[in-house]
Amino acid sequence: MNHKDKPKNIKNIIPLALFDTIKNIKKIQLPENIKLPFSQNDFDAVKNFLKEYDDNQATFNSYRREVERLLQWSWLIQKKSIFQIKRNDIEAYVNFCKNPPESWIGISKVPRFIDEDDKRKSNPVWRPFVVTVSKVAAKNGTMPNIKHHSLSEKAIREIFAILGSFYKFLIQENYTEINPVTQIRQKSKYFRKQQTRTVIRRLSELQWDTVIETAKQLADTSPKKHERTLFIMSILYSMYLRVSELVSCKRWLPKMNDFRRDHDGNWWFTTVGKGNKERQIAVSDSMLASLKRWRKYLKLTPLPSVDDQTPLIPNTRNEGAISSTNQIRNIVQHCFDEAINKLRRDGFTEEANGLQSATVHWLRHTGISDDIKRRPREHVRDDAGHSSSITTDKYIDVDLRERHASARKKLINRDDT
């Protein structure tokens, strides 16, 4: 398409994926069908930006998604370079993301690229935007519908944050001198102001008790398959780990000797979390007992030495470590499903229905929420890796309990007394 031509019908424009996985990002070249005079320079700038995050899978994926969408919109819709984008273009782009043409929306998450004839090629069924349904809705037979696409407030905030970082990078690398995102003074018009804090998604006491009891029963019944399940559930809850902190990647390989004892005889666990930040987590006696059980199953000494390089969670197929967060998610989901069945059998239907929506990350939230009731918030903050106590305070629900208790006996009709 000639760069001077304006798209006559946006509905007929189907964008192709431009950037592959971390593993293949350095090999990817500008597609031959892109003929815009500025496209190669734009493409190289984005590629260099993404390579800055090739040691963090989650960050790379988020940044790739947002910058790739901008590039596709800028090229296919606006017919201009990303270096020519101004403040009003960013506003137009955000409005576009809120209501993209149906040809840009998919109903399932598929790989961006596929292998064909020994080459990596853009997957023709991939789309920049995807409509999904909740786990509960999917189990009930609800199918995603393109017409139901919507952009959450969180997603809009990510657009501003990531594109702001992208243009900051471009300025530092002398690609451009202007950051059009920072020029938007009224970003607040895209966000709703909230009177109260966001509700933390966590398990109730009954749900967690059932989940960990289920994990123990699974391990006792089928240790070969589920001792690992029990350890994973324990460490995610007890030490508030993110799922990404349990798998191996370029920047981090969780090993047994990440558990270490200090000169006072106290045990600590070292991990690397968001922003490539290392932190130490205090290990409870209960977690230490869980570690001993896991190591006994692996036929290791009760506790690791400083030289123990054994992967914390070995992959059952080989001697390496688990490297897929999806594998961890599937293990946790199986335990959730079994716990849901148990709750239903015991007559706790409402609790079972609520557990259907739970994700792996709820275990981190649950662990923090439970600990904040009995530990100093500064201790929980540091173990959780929160940069500020303000984040930790979101898990304190004492005020909400008192607020609801004071409202419970309010009357509508005074004659009801």
Side-chain angles (χ1 to χ4, degrees), residues 25 68 108 122 157 181 222 276 314 327 383 397 399 414:
I25 185 67
E68 185 177 60
S108 63
S122 297
R157 289 184 184 275
V181 180
S222 180
N276 207 28
Q327 192 171 355
D383 280 352
D397 52 13
D399 291 342
R414 296 190 182 184

Side-chain angles (χ1 to χ4, degrees), residues 7 19 109 125 266 319 350 363 366:
F19 299 98
K109 294 181 180 180
V125 300
N266 299 317
E319 296 181 355
E350 187 175 343
L363 296 177
T366 304

